[in-house]
Amino acid sequence: MDRSADSEIDRLLAVEHADPHAILGAHLLERDGRKVVAVRVLRPEAQRVRVIPDAPEGVLEAHPHVHELPPREAIQVRGGLFEAIFELDAGQEPAVFPYLVDVEYAGGARFQQRDAYAFGPTLGELDRHLFAEGHHLRLYEKLGAHPRTIDGVDGVAFAVWAPAAKRVSVVGAFNRWDGRLHPMRRLTGNGVWELFVPDAPIGGLYKFEIVSERGKRFLKSDPFAFETELRPATAGVVRGLRPYEWRDERWLEERAAGDPLNKAWAIYEVHLGGFMRVPEERGHGAIDRPDGSHTGRWLTYRELATKLVEHVRAMGFTHVELMPITEYPFDGSWGYQCTGYFSPTRRYGSPEELKLLIDELHRAGIGVILDWVPAHFPRDAHGLRRFDGTAVYEHIDPRQGEHADWGTMVFNYGRPEVKNFLIASALYWLREFHFDGLRVDAVASMLYLDYSRKEGGWVANAFGGRENLEAIEFLRELNEVVHREVKGAVVIAEESTAWPAVSRPVYTGGLGFTFKWNMGWMHDTLAYFQMDPLFRSHHHGKVTFGLWYAWSENFVLPLSHDEVVHMKGSLLGKMPGDPWRKFANLRALYAFMWAHPGKKLLFMGSELAQAQEFSEERSLDWHLLDEPAHAGIALLMKDLNAFYREYPALFEADVTPEGFRWIDANDNAQSVASFLRFRAPRARADAERAPDDHDRAIVCVLNATPVVREGYRLGVPWPGRYEELINTDSIDYG
């Protein structure tokens, strides 16, 4: 080998070469005036290496004479680098050829395999260009681990973004986790590394071994892994985008043709591990108690496809919202500290089983929303933090790159590749798993540079303001892309401030979300219902104030998991008074919520009047349904959902003031509020309503005290007989 290449060999043997293909593999050279093919193989600790010319059946026509070439013994140049020289006949056209490598180790171990360095790049120029720009909408089809067949050889194409790495290797059981055997090549200026590994097994475990600029070596999980090991293990699983035979075509067609703003939305928020457990089994998720008993194992996705579907359908909810099932290491984070933005958690089964769950929900007429977390990520060593030894996904300045209160990292939304990573993740879940939308967590923390930060602990934007301009542009692009690429999909913001136009189109200056959680309504309403009825007359505005801004956004009214954790108690526990009054208050709260403008969201267990607050370590208290008061709450929720879906006046005009009119907002003395709900204007006459239009309006009355109001008079739009549809003090409800 040419002595001028010594320094290159030194870097290769030190496993620090950014382009090992420049040395390894088959190369056409000129030696002593003749064309030769030099095949170089790096096999540390090998005792003998032979190179066997061999073309797979699929490419044999392109190499008709390859089998005429005899095997060659490779000579060890130094340090595990072997070279075999093939002299070509005078009449033979100079060209490299496919081959096998036969390797022997001490003790007689012998392997015959294809060489990873005999294959060209697996990412095209367009892929590289789009990713560098931040606009590759199918990036998950290129980065990560993808089973492929190249030149008739089965293997896995690995690719990862590590812009500041000195070296990246793919390691796994297929190479004994030895980073010397499969160093990757740096393919792009922005730091994409790739390698095709022949014969790497589907289902095999893998990680990336990275050497930082400073020479530190460490392992990282694949950010684009489609599957990972069950925690606490963290390796990726080679699987690729496997086909699934979906049966929800009708659902998707109807979703694409409809307008979510004028549909009924009663969302059941679910933590899959805490929904229901198998008490007699000690499988995954079971927690042993001091007395020797245990909590039982989680249900699998497949089991949930029966149990969860049955319950949600029986209760009449229109959608479920899954708390994050993107892979996460710590059970107690409930998925909100995510490390696998393309990997469904293994806690409940395989990706195909998750698809089965979603498919069954759709076939039952139930939509599915994914709680998705682009606001922050955890500090776990195997994850995104300091991915190549530098701040890749996060800002390097902790005033911008860390959430001190949460102990997590903040994405750098101004970096095109980071923005592309997140948008590709969103599209992946919507396309590949048929989710009907995303609930975006902690949007307020993304919008404000000073969110939960002390003075001096944040960096102003280019104009001296507190708005995170890069995050704003990311959210706008996310919403535009989702609404354009996935017909009928929604994006819901959990945004807790007065930021304007969150759910208004981007072209009008908004952020582009479909809906926004109405946190103000939630806080006011819970504060009111937690109050002793004796004092409610002095705080009547808490149940009326929300109507002053009810149409400033497209709102979802949430009573979410956040209200029943961290020592806040259950919704039932928040209600004042003796048990009878607690249940009566809770029933009134639910009816007021279902009558109020806005889509609905209720955390699981609230329909049972759960007595204890939520914990991911146990099941819901299903035994409560044996008690009349709890069963009454469940029956009320079932009736409210049926009533809500049956009467379009309660949902068609949620987002316009034409769907609402006060009867009396000012009876604070008796703590009574009364109002009308109407169908959308397009569904009723603009002039005087005809008699047959009476069923297009619903009269709603809240009596927020335990005092019976005899002979209470209400002004109504039309004379005649009115039918009572729901009465939360009915004996049917306990």
Side-chain angles (χ1 to χ4, degrees):
M1 185 173 286
D2 193 333
R3 291 183 178 273
S4 64
D6 279 354
S7 63
E8 294 289 293
I9 295 174
D10 289 341
R11 289 167 56 204
L12 180 72
L13 295 179
V15 201
E16 294 178 353
H17 204 294
D19 185 15
H21 291 71
I23 299 174
L24 301 177
H27 297 267
L28 190 64
L29 306 175
E30 186 170 324
R31 290 193 177 175
D32 301 326
R34 295 189 62 183
K35 297 287 186 182
V36 300
V37 173
V39 178
R40 304 182 191 122
V41 178
L42 182 63
R43 289 295 186 275
E45 302 172 10
Q47 288 193 335
R48 181 188 182 196
V49 174
R50 296 169 69 238
V51 177
I52 305 169
D54 180 83
E57 191 171 321
V59 296
L60 191 56
E61 291 184 7
H63 305 277
H65 303 293
V66 68
H67 292 122
E68 298 174 7
L69 295 171
R72 287 283 192 273
E73 194 79 20
I75 305 302
Q76 184 167 193
V77 178
R78 58 186 168 94
L81 177 63
F82 293 80
E83 181 182 65
I85 300 295
F86 290 83
E87 298 181 355
L88 304 177
D89 294 338
Q92 195 170 352
E93 183 178 348
V96 297
F97 48 81
Y99 56 90
L100 292 167
V101 179
D102 187 78
V103 185
E104 291 185 29
Y105 292 92
R110 184 172 178 176
F111 303 93
Q112 194 172 99
Q113 54 199 190
R114 297 283 171 184
D115 184 14
Y117 302 93
F119 297 87
T122 56
L123 273 74
E125 288 289 345
L126 181 60
D127 295 319
R128 306 176 210 176
H129 173 75
L130 289 174
F131 179 46
E133 280 191 335
H135 295 141
H136 200 312
L137 301 186
R138 292 191 174 272
L139 186 62
Y140 55 86
E141 295 180 355
K142 303 300 178 181
L143 296 190
H146 295 272
R148 292 182 60 179
T149 301
I150 299 178
D151 295 337
V153 176
D154 294 333
V156 179
F158 294 95
V160 65
W161 179 54
K166 181 184 291 186
R167 185 260 293 175
V168 180
S169 295
V170 59
V171 296
F174 56 86
N175 62 13
R176 296 172 297 174
W177 301 91
D178 189 340
R180 299 172 298 172
L181 296 182
H182 286 107
M184 305 170 79
R185 70 173 135 205
R186 185 182 178 112
L187 192 60
T188 67
N190 70 328
V192 174
W193 301 72
E194 71 83 37
L195 185 69
F196 176 73
V197 180
D199 304 319
I202 296 175
L205 302 179
Y206 73 101
K207 284 190 175 184
F208 294 112
E209 183 181 274
I210 296 176
V211 176
S212 71
E213 289 177 315
R214 297 183 177 181
K216 184 179 179 180
R217 186 175 66 180
F218 47 88
L219 292 177
K220 286 288 187 178
S221 298
D222 179 10
F224 283 84
F226 295 143
E227 186 176 346
T228 56
E229 294 180 281
L230 178 65
R231 59 93 179 100
T234 58
V237 180
V238 175
R239 58 171 296 106
L241 293 170
R242 296 181 184 176
Y244 176 83
E245 191 174 336
W246 291 94
R247 299 179 295 168
D248 62 350
E249 296 85 357
R250 178 179 296 180
W251 171 268
L252 296 182
E253 290 172 3
E254 292 177 355
R255 186 190 77 184
D259 181 356
L261 299 183
N262 59 31
K263 299 294 184 184
W265 285 71
I267 306 169
Y268 188 66
E269 188 189 22
V270 180
H271 180 279
L272 292 181
F275 172 71
M276 187 180 291
R277 296 192 176 216
V278 182
E280 69 276 9
E281 294 186 17
R282 234 190 193 95
H284 294 319
I287 296 173
D288 292 328
R289 300 188 180 100
D291 63 1
S293 64
H294 57 90
T295 60
R297 68 164 176 83
W298 301 311
L299 295 184
T300 65
Y301 293 125
R302 185 174 295 276
E303 290 168 329
L304 287 159
T306 299
K307 296 293 187 182
L308 179 62
V309 172
E310 286 177 351
H311 180 66
V312 174
R313 181 164 50 186
M315 294 303 300
F317 288 95
T318 64
H319 294 73
V320 296
E321 179 177 300
L322 303 184
M323 289 170 66
I325 48 82
T326 42
E327 191 60 83
Y328 56 101
F330 175 47
D331 290 358
S333 79
W334 311 324
Y336 289 102
Q337 294 192 12
C338 166
T339 53
Y341 278 81
F342 296 82
S343 176
T345 179
R346 280 289 309 181
R347 287 167 174 81
Y348 317 118
S350 70
E352 283 77 24
E353 289 172 319
L354 173 58
K355 291 179 180 180
L356 171 68
L357 169 59
I358 296 169
D359 206 10
E360 290 302 313
L361 284 162
H362 282 171
R363 283 162 50 80
I366 302 163
V368 193
I369 308 299
L370 172 66
D371 206 336
W372 184 65
V373 190
H376 62 127
F377 59 90
R379 304 170 65 92
D380 295 69
H382 70 278
L384 299 179
R385 181 179 181 272
R386 300 295 191 265
F387 188 76
D388 61 8
T390 67
V392 177
Y393 288 89
E394 71 273 25
H395 282 279
I396 191 167
D397 189 334
R399 296 175 299 168
Q400 296 171 285
E402 297 185 20
H403 273 307
D405 287 354
W406 298 343
T408 55
M409 312 304 295
V410 180
F411 283 104
N412 182 352
Y413 304 104
R415 196 162 191 171
E417 296 91 345
V418 174
K419 180 183 66 175
N420 201 158
F421 169 79
L422 290 170
I423 291 177
S425 170
L427 292 174
Y428 169 75
W429 295 107
L430 295 170
R431 287 172 175 160
E432 301 297 325
F433 287 83
H434 289 200
F435 279 102
D436 299 294
L438 305 171
R439 179 265 193 185
V440 181
D441 180 62
V443 170
S445 74
M446 301 169 67
L447 294 175
Y448 298 97
L449 294 165
D450 62 345
Y451 182 89
S452 194
R453 298 177 190 275
K454 298 178 181 178
E455 186 175 352
W458 58 284
V459 179
N461 64 33
F463 303 100
R466 60 196 283 255
E467 300 82 10
N468 189 333
L469 303 180
E470 290 84 5
I472 293 166
E473 288 308 306
F474 160 70
L475 290 170
R476 286 173 170 164
E477 184 173 347
L478 167 73
N479 288 317
E480 286 189 312
V481 168
V482 167
H483 290 133
R484 182 181 71 240
E485 296 291 322
V486 188
K487 300 303 180 185
V490 302
V491 192
I492 305 169
E494 187 225 1
E495 203 286 311
S496 55
T497 74
W499 188 281
V502 171
S503 58
R504 295 293 179 257
V506 171
Y507 61 79
T508 66
L511 293 182
F513 285 94
T514 319
F515 296 111
K516 171 183 170 174
W517 274 21
N518 193 337
M519 309 294 279
W521 174 91
M522 181 271 295
H523 286 298
D524 285 349
T525 302
L526 283 182
Y528 182 80
F529 276 89
Q530 284 179 262
M531 206 177 293
D532 190 301
L534 182 65
F535 305 110
R536 288 177 182 171
S537 63
H538 303 291
H539 300 273
H540 195 65
K542 288 191 179 295
V543 292
T544 61
F545 178 68
L547 275 305
W548 286 98
Y549 61 86
W551 302 284
S552 61
E553 301 278 3
N554 304 328
F555 279 125
V556 173
L557 310 181
L559 291 178
S560 73
H561 69 278
D562 281 329
E563 311 319 313
V564 294
V565 294
H566 302 320
M567 307 301 291
K568 294 179 184 177
S570 67
L571 291 181
L572 180 67
K574 296 179 193 295
M575 299 297 105
D578 58 30
W580 182 91
R581 286 181 171 81
K582 283 181 178 291
F583 281 96
N585 268 286
L586 188 61
R587 293 195 301 268
L589 167 61
Y590 289 163
F592 176 67
M593 177 179 177
W594 256 246
H596 195 286
K599 312 307 181 185
K600 328 299 176 189
L601 180 139
L602 191 70
F603 182 57
M604 67 177 194
S606 301
E607 79 282 12
L608 313 178
Q610 186 89 0
Q612 56 184 344
E613 70 176 23
F614 166 69
S615 169
E616 80 282 353
E617 296 183 354
R618 60 174 178 260
S619 168
L620 295 181
D621 293 329
W622 295 101
H623 63 275
L624 293 176
L625 291 176
D626 295 332
E627 301 178 19
H630 293 273
I633 293 283
L635 179 59
L636 173 66
M637 183 54 60
K638 182 177 180 179
D639 288 353
L640 282 173
N641 278 330
F643 170 58
Y644 173 61
R645 298 172 76 161
E646 182 180 355
Y647 289 92
L650 292 173
F651 60 80
E652 267 193 353
D654 265 335
V655 299
T656 63
E658 289 85 358
F660 178 90
R661 187 190 306 166
W662 280 112
I663 296 175
D664 189 349
N666 300 310
D667 189 2
N668 60 295
Q670 300 186 84
S671 298
V672 176
S674 52
F675 52 87
L676 292 161
R677 296 298 309 279
F678 297 104
R679 292 199 67 173
R682 56 179 168 71
R684 57 183 171 86
D686 292 330
E688 291 295 324
R689 295 179 179 83
D692 61 358
D693 282 334
H694 291 181
D695 65 348
R696 298 183 182 277
I698 304 292
V699 178
C700 308
V701 186
L702 168 68
N703 177 15
T705 70
V707 179
V708 177
R709 305 295 179 185
E710 297 284 355
Y712 192 91
R713 299 186 67 189
L714 294 169
V716 292
W718 313 287
R721 178 181 176 83
Y722 282 74
E723 178 187 358
E724 181 182 271
L725 298 174
I726 292 279
N727 179 348
T728 62
D729 274 341
S730 166
I731 193 171
D732 294 337
Y733 305 132

